[in-house]
Every structure is written in C-alpha cells, then in structure tokens.
Amino acid sequence: MAWQLTEDVETYLAAAGGFLRARPAENTVILTATAAVRARGPGAFGGSAPLYGWQAEPDGAVTAAFMHTPPFPVVLTAMADAHAAGLAATLAARGRQPAGVNAGTGIAAVFAAAWQDHTGQAARPGIRMRLYALGHLLPLDPPPPGQARTAAAEDTALLLAWLDAFQHEAGPPGPAESERMVNDRIGFGGLVLWEHCGRPVSLAGRSRAVAGQARIGPVYTPPDLRGRGFGGAATVAVTRVALADGAEGVVLFADLANPASNTLYQRLGYRPVSDWTVLRFTGAEPEARGGAVSQRRTSSG
C-alpha cells in the first residue's frame, strides 16, 4: 500500500489518531507534537509546513505512521521494514529534506539505508536513547536536602539560561526553543525547580498529558551542583506534579551514553520500554538543525 500523506494535522489524527493512542508511551513524541500543532498552528516549531502520513490495510486498519515537523527529523512509529524503506522513497521523491530520522533503533537503520539509496545522503551517528515508562514512583533514598517549587514568571531569566545550557550540552536548536518552552510551560506549571539553601539547584520539566501520558524532560543541573541528588529529586517532584495533574502514565527518554541517569531513573521506578536512535543525514538542508528535542537526553545532572 502507498503511504497516505497530508499537511493537515486534523486529517492525520482522524485517520491515525486511534493507532497512535493505542500505544501512547511509544508514540509520545508524535502525540505531543501534534497536540502542539493543534494548539499553536502549523508553525508551532518554527520550520516549514509539517507533513504527516500513515499506512492502512484494505480494511482501513492503520499499521504505521510518521510525522515530519521541520526543523526536526522525521519521526516513525513501529512499522515493517518495507514500510520504512517505502517511506524513505516517498519523501525523497517529494524533495523533502529531513535532518535525519528518529525511530526505534532497527527501523531507523532501515529508513536511513533507504534514504541513502535514494538521495546519496549517508546517516551520521546520533543520539541513542531508551524510553522509560513509570511503574511505581519511588523516592530517593536518602533524599537530598531541599524542596521543590513550581517555576514562575519571575524565574524566566534563570530558566532560559539553564535551558540554553542544556541544549548546548545535548545538541542545539537554540534559544528560540527555550523561549517557547518557558512561555508555554510556565502557563500550566510544567517546570519545577529544586531549591537548596534558598536558591534553585536543579530544573525538571514535563509536557501536558496527551492520550493520558505526560513526558518528563528536560532535567538539568548546573555542572558544579551535580552528583548530589538534586536532579533525581527534581525528577521525582515533577513526576508527582504530572500525576496530580491527571496524567495516567509518565514517560521519559534517557541518553544511553549516560549510564548514571539510566540507573537513576530505574531507581525512581521507571521501567525500560524500547530503544530509540536519532540518525542525522549528511548534506541535509539547514532547516533541520538537530535531533528531536522531545527525545534529547533527558538529564544533565
């Protein structure tokens, strides 16, 4: 079957929304991104027009879906290898120029190989991540000193500085994204600060719940304050806020190159779900400036 394509998010969700919501943890990036587009319009991410698509059986059952919201890589759901290769051919024929691909590890490799066949653009190594879903939240033992509070408008300068520092460590796209995140998340209490001795020492964020799932990230602690448990405490605090705000489940991504954060999240009650990879293409257009922000390494701390 040919890929069905649209630039209209409502058409996409009418066709593929049920398929995406059936596995809300695995499809968290597409679900939260499409929610942002619905709320803020096609320019929600500052790039050119998004493109969406799905594969359906003759009976109408959707079996695969993707999303490309420039400047970010194309994001794929779980799918058959043939669908991933066919999608690469379809996007290349349309002249689409994603920065890369963001998908389960095996599917990302299949798409990247087909993309190189059709465009000559090879994939460069990117970020390898593990998706975690909360089982039962566990407190840090022993807990670090301090307490959590919800970030407010008067914290904006600090939040922007820390988010820019986080993006610099994880791979940019730059300050504009920090501004959008701060402006949006302050509005619904989506940023939590851990304070010690009267000053903020760590930051943890969360998305709005979509299909019952909230996603934690970013988590950032300045380098000189790391190793004291502040990032873990902020993560516990923002997870509690997400659950109290009605989330049925909570997920997060952790960079596999950071074993300390992966160990920490499991200590807090998060359980591995699947491994993901962001591969970047050589020669891609500058509209695509980095890995999918929603899946960048969750923790610096």
Side-chain angles (χ1 to χ4, degrees), residues 27-54:
N27 297 325
T28 176
V29 173
I30 294 180
L31 286 166
T32 53
T34 51
V37 172
R38 294 181 81 181
R40 305 200 300 269
F45 298 101
S48 55
L51 183 69
Y52 313 95
W54 64 95

Side-chain angles (χ1 to χ4, degrees), residues 72-255:
F72 302 114
V74 59
V75 182
L76 313 183
T77 66
M79 63 180 65
D81 288 359
H83 290 338
L87 177 59
T90 298
L91 296 182
R94 288 178 63 98
R96 202 77 182 177
Q97 287 289 332
V101 58
N102 187 341
T105 299
I107 296 302
V110 171
F111 182 95
W115 184 258
Q116 183 172 3
D117 288 344
H118 291 285
T119 68
Q121 295 177 354
R124 294 182 287 112
I127 300 171
R128 296 171 53 248
M129 298 164 296
R130 182 156 291 157
L131 172 65
Y132 290 89
L134 182 66
H136 178 69
L137 183 63
L138 302 172
L140 281 174
D141 184 20
Q147 57 282 319
R149 71 169 174 85
T150 302
E154 54 267 28
D155 300 305
T156 295
L158 174 70
L159 297 172
L160 290 174
W162 281 8
L163 289 174
D164 288 347
F166 172 84
Q167 290 170 3
H168 179 74
E169 288 189 21
E177 184 177 303
S178 299
E179 294 167 8
R180 284 194 295 270
M181 180 180 289
V182 170
N183 291 337
D184 177 52
R185 295 196 179 185
I186 281 180
F188 69 90
L191 295 169
V192 168
L193 292 166
W194 188 263
E195 291 190 322
H196 175 51
C197 294
R199 68 182 181 109
V201 292
S202 190
L203 164 70
R206 66 179 174 102
S207 71
R208 291 179 175 88
V210 181
Q213 302 284 310
R215 188 169 68 253
I216 303 304
V219 178
Y220 179 76
T221 305
D224 61 324
L225 295 171
R226 294 176 187 172
R228 309 182 195 183
F230 297 144
T235 301
V236 170
V238 79
T239 301
R240 285 176 173 156
V241 172
L243 294 170
D245 204 29
E248 298 170 8
V250 186
V251 299
L252 58 80
F253 285 94
D255 189 344

Side-chain angles (χ1 to χ4, degrees), residues 237-299:
V238 79
T239 301
R240 285 176 173 156
V241 172
L243 294 170
D245 204 29
E248 298 170 8
V250 186
V251 299
L252 58 80
F253 285 94
D255 189 344
L256 285 171
N258 185 345
S261 66
N262 284 267
T263 299
L264 169 65
Y265 296 134
Q266 292 181 74
R267 284 176 54 204
L268 300 182
Y270 283 88
R271 300 292 176 256
V273 175
S274 56
D275 286 357
W276 287 66
T277 301
V278 178
L279 298 174
R280 298 187 176 92
F281 300 139
T282 59
E285 291 296 314
E287 70 164 15
R289 296 172 290 178
V293 65
S294 301
Q295 291 194 27
R296 250 186 226 98
R297 65 182 71 166
T298 301
S299 178

